[in-house]
């Protein structure tokens, strides 16, 4: 259920409603928009339970939420969520580019990549220190040493750092090094992990499960918000279909669907969707055209030597070319890409 307050309801009116909701044994989650506050009621409240609150000062209406996801839904918060990361933000007018290798392999590799992507216009450096691999015999990442290298490269270049966290017990460690926590496709429904990242105050990028519906993605994000962290970015990274020409199928329609249903920012990962370097620019341009708030793209200084995902990694030159294309397009979409 949601309680919509009148425009410019006072702090006292809002506080009183929250007090009454909590006195009934439910949780109140206020969301303050530019003019209007909406209070989400969590904990199984029905229409009859909340009916006595309809007459309180400042209450405009009490309405059931039409879906199982409450906090992530636009009905709960009309204004888009904008995640501020210092001198830029994800979810605002800027189309934000996150770039870097699949995995942290060495200090030299990360520093070289960070400088290249920074000069091309990336805002965030990506790179996995804990790698979820399909085979237990594949390279699993450098662990904490990899996190240290990412942080150092972030400080060197001024880039923010995004890196994957795979287990609840890793969350405090990864939070010490990362500006954004990444939850990978294989962990989208790892509920203990979702709860753990919900309890910290570091932004989270949640990747869509490779066999998950958009609704399941939104419900997974709901876990993070319900645990108190509202700084969530959703990521479409391709889903499994019968098509074999690409590694996954980039579900570009997910961008439009998520934008219409949720206030959370959406980015596209064209690299894991395509699996093939040659298709990455087209999918990146499609992301911008569809209304995504950014992309996360794999770049390696020597893709042929990459320890993972070399076939889908752009070279630094390829990355710069892509950035020029995105810059040329952005204006038509009312966006901009940093120079
Ligand atoms: C990654 O971003 O390197 C990654 C492992 O992605 P995904 O979880 O989408 O496979
Ligand atoms: Mn990868």
């Amino acid at each position: 259920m949601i309680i919509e307050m009148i425009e410019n309801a006072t702090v006292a009116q809002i506080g009183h409603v929250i007090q009454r909701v909590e006195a009934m044994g439910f949780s109140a989650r206020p969301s303050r928009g530019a003019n209007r506050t909406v209070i989400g009621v969590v904990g199984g409240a029905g229409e009859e339970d909340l009916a006595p609150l309809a007459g309180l000062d400042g209450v405009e209406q009490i309405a059931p939420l039409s879906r199982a996801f409450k906090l992530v839904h636009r009905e709960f918060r009309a204004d888009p969520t904008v995640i501020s990361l210092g001198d830029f933000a994800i979810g605002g007018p800027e189309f934000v580019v996150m770039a870097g290798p699949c995995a942290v392999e060495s200090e030299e590799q990360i520093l070289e990549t960070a400088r290249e992507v920074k000069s091309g216009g990336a805002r965030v450096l990506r790179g996995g220190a804990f790698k979820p691999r399909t085979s237990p015999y594949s390279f699993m990442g450098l662990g904490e040493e990899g996190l240290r290298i990412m942080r150092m490269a972030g400080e060197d270049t001024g880039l923010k750092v995004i890196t994957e966290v795979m287990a609840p017990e890793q969350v405090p460690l990864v939070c010490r090094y990362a500006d954004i926590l990444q939850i990978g496709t294989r962990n989208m429904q790892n509920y203990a992990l979702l709860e753990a990242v919900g309890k910290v105050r570091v932004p989270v990028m949640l990747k869509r499960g490779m066999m998950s519906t958009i609704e399941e993605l939104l419900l997974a994000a709901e876990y993070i918000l319900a645990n108190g962290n509202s700084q969530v970015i959703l990521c479409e990274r391709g889903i499994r279909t019968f098509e074999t020409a690409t590694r996954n199928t980039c579900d570009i329609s997910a961008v439009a669907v998520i934008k219409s249903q949720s206030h959370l920012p959406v980015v596209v990962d064209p690299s894991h969707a395509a699996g093939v370097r040659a298709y990455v620019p087209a999918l990146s341009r499609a992301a911008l055209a569809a209304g995504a708030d950014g992309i996360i793209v794999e770049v390696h200084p020597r893709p042929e030597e990459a320890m993972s995902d070399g076939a889908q990694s752009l070279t630094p030159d390829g990355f710069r070319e892509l950035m020029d294309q995105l810059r040329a397009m952005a204006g038509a979409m009312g966006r901009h890409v940093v120079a």
Side-chain angles (χ1 to χ4, degrees):
M1 299 289 293
I2 52 167
I3 302 174
E4 275 182 57
M5 302 300 290
I6 56 172
E7 258 186 54
N8 303 315
T10 65
V11 174
Q13 289 169 334
I14 296 165
H16 185 54
V17 173
I18 292 173
Q19 220 175 23
R20 290 285 302 269
V21 167
E22 288 173 349
M24 291 168 150
F26 305 117
S27 300
R29 301 209 185 269
S31 166
R32 293 182 173 85
N35 312 308
R36 194 185 284 275
T37 293
V38 174
I39 301 169
V41 181
V42 188
E47 235 159 315
E48 319 77 69
D49 297 311
L50 300 186
L53 307 187
L56 294 184
D57 269 0
V59 172
E60 172 138 326
Q61 63 164 332
I62 300 181
L65 261 188
S66 47
R67 291 161 217 279
F69 34 90
K70 299 179 166 64
L71 305 175
V72 304
H73 204 272
R74 271 197 183 278
E75 283 176 31
F76 178 71
R77 183 191 155 101
D79 302 331
T81 288
V82 178
I83 297 176
S84 174
L85 289 155
D87 57 349
F88 71 98
I90 301 179
E94 180 173 340
F95 184 79
V96 174
V97 176
M98 307 186 236
C102 181
V104 182
E105 298 166 6
S106 69
E107 201 168 292
E108 301 68 48
Q109 169 238 16
I110 289 296
L111 260 183
E112 184 178 353
T113 313
R115 289 172 184 160
E116 293 279 12
V117 300
K118 166 77 181 187
S119 78
R123 289 291 207 173
V124 181
L125 177 66
R126 64 145 289 146
F130 294 104
K131 294 301 301 174
R133 302 305 300 276
T134 302
S135 160
Y137 307 116
S138 299
F139 175 59
M140 298 273 172
L142 297 181
E144 186 169 1
E145 171 63 2
L147 297 177
R148 189 195 62 74
I149 294 172
M150 287 294 284
R151 184 79 256 151
M152 181 271 299
E155 306 290 334
D156 181 83
T157 53
L159 291 166
K160 298 292 180 193
V161 166
I162 183 168
T163 195
E164 180 157 356
V165 57
M166 284 173 53
E169 58 276 14
Q170 285 173 355
V171 172
L173 174 72
V174 179
C175 282
R176 286 208 289 280
Y177 294 95
D179 299 296
I180 308 174
L181 304 175
Q182 171 173 331
I183 299 211
T185 191
R186 294 160 185 81
N187 271 319
M188 188 202 84
Q189 287 178 316
N190 178 341
Y191 297 116
L193 181 59
L194 298 178
E195 284 176 15
V197 300
K199 294 196 168 84
V200 297
R201 291 294 165 270
V202 177
V204 177
M205 186 187 77
L206 177 64
K207 299 186 92 171
R208 179 178 179 183
M210 63 183 89
M211 289 173 285
S212 298
T213 63
I214 296 168
E215 179 158 328
E216 286 162 344
L217 171 64
L218 292 172
L219 284 166
E222 186 78 22
Y223 271 82
I224 305 175
L225 273 79
N227 277 278
N229 189 351
S230 53
Q231 309 234 100
V232 176
I233 303 153
L234 301 171
C235 178
E236 163 60 40
R237 50 78 72 202
I239 50 173
R240 282 214 168 149
T241 66
F242 53 82
E243 182 55 69
T244 55
T246 50
R247 181 175 177 183
N248 292 283
T249 295
C250 184
D251 181 10
I252 205 73
S253 54
V255 174
V257 173
I258 292 167
K259 279 279 164 193
S260 79
Q261 298 198 358
S262 179
H263 51 82
L264 295 174
V266 188
V267 300
V268 170
D269 175 346
S271 309
H272 291 87
V276 179
R277 181 179 315 123
Y279 306 144
V280 168
L283 299 187
S284 304
R285 297 190 303 265
L288 172 57
D293 296 297
I295 52 170
I296 177 161
V297 60
E298 287 185 340
V299 178
H300 195 289
R302 287 163 296 281
E304 64 289 354
E305 292 172 17
M307 294 176 85
S308 59
D309 289 349
Q312 67 197 30
S313 298
L314 297 178
T315 61
D317 283 348
F319 176 69
R320 257 185 291 278
E321 214 171 293
L322 167 62
M323 293 300 284
D324 288 342
Q325 295 171 0
L326 294 174
R327 256 178 227 114
M329 275 179 70
M333 294 304 303
R335 311 295 288 251
H336 65 273
V337 176
V338 77

